[in-house]
Amino acid sequence: MNNPKLQAVRGMNDILPDEAQLWLWFEDTVRNWLEGYGYRNIRMPLVEPTALFKRAIGEVTDIVEKEMYSFTDELNGDELTLRPEGTASCVRAVLQHNLLYNAPQRLYYSGPMFRHERPQKGRYRQFHQVGVEALGFAGPDIDAEQIVMCARLWKELGIRDVTLQINTLGDASSRHRHREKLIAYFERYADQLDADAQRRLHSNPLRILDSKNPAMQDIIAGAPRLMDELDAEAVEHFDAVQAILKSRGIPFEINPRLVRGLDYYNRTVFEWVTTRLGAQGTICAGGRYDGLIEQIGGKPQPACGFAMGVERLLALIQEDGMQNPPAGLDVYVVHQGEQARDMAWRVAELLRDDGLRVLLHCGGGGFKSQMKKADGSTAVCAAIIGDDEAAANVVMLKPLRVQAEQQRVDLADIRQKIRELIK
Ligand code: HAM
């Protein structure tokens, strides 16, 4: 029988070992950076009740209408969804475990998210986010701090050419006024709206502003602006965020058309954008979502957060010529003969006890072919053991990265000698 070739699902990528090194480096950098700002890790399931995302992200959004991997659990009939983002799950977890009981929370998570989008460079169906959420904070200082911390990360990652766009979406009352005006305005152009926009005209007119359809750009440009409807408190909040950004020397651009693709936002929203990744230029995005906690069933609490797209950030880093840092090995243990094999095992474990990274040759073969493998590895030196060495309790130590003779080393001195070599 001819077995069909099995391949990864379209839009879902394998991250192979060479590239995974870059991911590991990125994850280490990000973790140190987050800890530097007092954020603590939280881990949520990849699967949640579908109702959570409908309620949090909004029924009339691209994500909920067309992009969710939703299914019925055949065993019990539950309606479930592979998470398309992390904020809803994070808030659900915080409420379920009562984490906001007596203190605000600074939390972060990372991992895969799933959206059934059309795959292209920088846009995948399984992609990875690092998400950062501050729950229980009302003031503009936390919005500004989250933006400032992003700027620091770009510096630490060596990322250039990203610009910051910010906007305010105001509060519920101003959004309501704006919504009424938008509906009245777009109704006047109803025959020029595309099908998506027509459908959303009365359910979610704000989403029309997000449309990329070139034919509608003139109409969108003339639409009533939320800016003109803002309440005094929202204006004050936005001014305060800007003042902190200015005082920290973070350049930004106010983009009144920045509305975000998820419904839970209010007040500050922001996106970090690059022109170097083609159409998928947003590497990091977020904002304030003061209404979400209540919407998911908790006592009202303000909150603010953002998430970055790991694939996009890494693409940007690689564009700048950053090589994948090689997986480091200290010692490659070469051995031939039965006594030698026994000693090789002992030596390898002894060196690992000392914190060294050791590859013990497996699979047999002569000294010559094993030495070829040692040379081709990233090891700094080879520890060579034959039955003669085993009988004498010594190891031949050969530096692999510098021109130097191999030396005969007593087992008792081996750790010390290797430490000298890898310094
Ligand atoms: P989002 O704008 O939907 O926000 O996604 C955040 C980032 O994830 C995007 O800016 C982009 O870098 C990356 N991203 C999104 N979709 C894809 C995709 N299909 N392929 C590759 N990368 C992608 C959120 O998800 C919010 N939960 C952010 C947030 C946290 N707001 C408050 N807290």
Side-chain angles (χ1 to χ4, degrees):
M1 213 179 99
N2 211 354
N3 283 333
K5 205 155 135 201
L6 288 172
Q7 296 219 315
V9 174
R10 188 163 127 82
M12 305 199 180
N13 299 313
D14 299 308
I15 298 154
L16 301 178
D18 276 349
E19 204 192 339
Q21 279 307 117
L22 187 63
W23 282 69
L24 289 171
W25 166 81
F26 172 82
E27 284 157 4
D28 278 352
T29 310
V30 165
R31 197 166 79 205
N32 286 333
W33 161 74
L34 284 162
E35 285 172 1
Y37 284 86
Y39 279 82
R40 296 192 306 150
N41 188 227
I42 182 167
R43 297 171 188 228
M44 299 82 67
L46 301 193
V47 177
E48 295 275 2
T50 302
L52 172 67
F53 300 116
K54 286 192 175 167
R55 210 192 293 175
I57 299 170
E59 299 258 9
V60 191
T61 56
D62 278 352
I63 296 180
V64 170
E65 282 185 336
K66 347 181 195 177
E67 296 171 1
M68 294 209 300
Y69 283 91
S70 298
F71 57 97
T72 308
D73 182 336
E74 286 180 10
L75 297 178
N76 58 11
D78 288 352
E79 297 296 333
L80 303 175
T81 292
L82 289 182
R83 64 181 187 191
E85 60 109 44
T87 309
S89 311
C90 182
V91 169
R92 197 260 318 126
V94 162
L95 292 178
Q96 185 173 334
H97 303 285
N98 215 8
L99 295 190
L100 283 173
Y101 176 60
N102 57 9
Q105 294 283 342
R106 283 179 163 90
L107 302 173
Y108 76 91
Y109 48 83
S110 61
M113 307 291 161
F114 303 86
R115 296 185 194 175
H116 199 281
E117 297 194 81
R118 199 167 52 80
Q120 53 184 279
K121 184 172 177 240
R123 190 202 273 169
Y124 308 103
R125 291 181 172 170
Q126 175 178 316
F127 60 98
H128 296 75
Q129 283 186 347
V130 174
V132 175
E133 316 288 357
L135 305 125
F137 295 87
D141 45 0
I142 196 86
D143 315 24
E145 191 194 51
Q146 290 191 338
I147 293 172
V148 168
M149 68 192 269
C150 289
R152 173 186 284 273
L153 182 64
W154 310 151
K155 225 189 270 164
E156 287 179 10
L157 294 172
I159 287 178
R160 298 172 291 114
D161 302 332
V162 279
T163 53
L164 169 65
Q165 302 196 346
I166 61 173
N167 189 22
T168 179
L169 300 182
D171 293 312
S173 55
S174 46
R175 285 173 77 168
H176 184 72
R177 281 197 300 279
H178 181 232
R179 182 191 145 89
E180 299 297 305
K181 290 195 174 171
L182 273 183
I183 294 176
Y185 172 82
F186 283 125
E187 272 176 344
R188 298 215 304 273
Y189 298 95
D191 53 340
Q192 295 173 49
L193 299 181
D194 62 19
D196 252 2
Q198 296 219 7
R199 201 165 35 80
R200 290 168 169 186
L201 178 54
H202 292 98
S203 54
N204 200 345
L206 199 66
R207 283 276 90 79
I208 301 178
L209 300 179
D210 216 12
S211 166
K212 304 278 184 292
N213 183 348
M216 291 185 351
Q217 294 311 305
D218 282 350
I219 302 174
I220 290 172
R225 299 181 334 156
L226 181 66
M227 284 276 183
D228 303 327
E229 304 294 333
L230 294 179
D231 292 320
E233 293 84 357
V235 173
E236 218 174 276
H237 188 102
F238 194 44
D239 285 347
V241 172
Q242 291 177 56
I244 302 176
L245 294 180
K246 282 183 189 146
S247 77
R248 303 308 313 152
I250 310 282
F252 58 86
E253 194 182 296
I254 297 177
N255 176 1
R257 288 197 47 196
L258 185 65
V259 293
R260 308 280 300 119
L262 306 92
D263 280 352
Y264 49 62
Y265 294 106
N266 69 317
R267 294 202 177 179
T268 320
V269 287
F270 62 89
E271 291 194 356
W272 290 92
V273 187
T274 173
T275 51
R276 290 166 60 203
L277 293 177
Q280 308 307 321
T282 307
I283 54 166
C284 174
R288 186 159 274 286
Y289 51 93
D290 295 331
L292 182 61
I293 295 177
E294 187 180 18
Q295 220 171 304
I296 294 186
K299 271 200 266 160
Q301 290 258 29
C304 188
F306 63 92
M308 48 194 148
V310 178
E311 284 83 355
R312 292 184 192 179
L313 278 169
L314 293 183
L316 206 53
I317 290 169
Q318 279 171 319
E319 278 231 336
D320 277 340
M322 168 110 176
Q323 299 300 318
N324 294 329
L329 260 187
D330 298 314
V331 188
Y332 195 109
V333 181
V334 166
H335 58 95
Q336 195 182 19
E338 232 168 80
Q339 264 181 297
R341 186 184 58 204
D342 186 52
M343 178 155 163
W345 275 83
R346 273 194 294 130
V347 168
E349 290 298 332
L350 190 78
L351 299 178
R352 290 179 188 128
D353 284 345
D354 224 32
L356 293 167
R357 296 163 300 178
V358 182
L359 200 146
L360 173 66
H361 181 82
C362 288
F367 276 126
K368 205 164 160 211
S369 79
Q370 290 190 37
M371 278 310 292
K372 235 189 192 158
K373 295 211 166 90
D375 274 329
S377 78
T378 55
V380 177
C381 59
I384 306 161
I385 305 166
D387 283 342
D388 289 350
E389 282 77 21
N393 228 16
V394 295
V395 171
M396 300 304 290
L397 202 58
K398 183 171 184 349
L400 297 171
R401 307 289 149 224
V402 287
Q403 279 294 349
E405 286 301 305
Q406 63 180 37
Q407 39 179 321
R408 195 179 153 95
V409 181
D410 259 6
L411 195 53
D413 301 331
I414 182 118
R415 287 181 286 192
Q416 160 83 19
K417 286 280 182 218
I418 290 176
R419 287 270 168 223
E420 281 166 20
L421 276 179
I422 64 179
K423 248 197 316 229

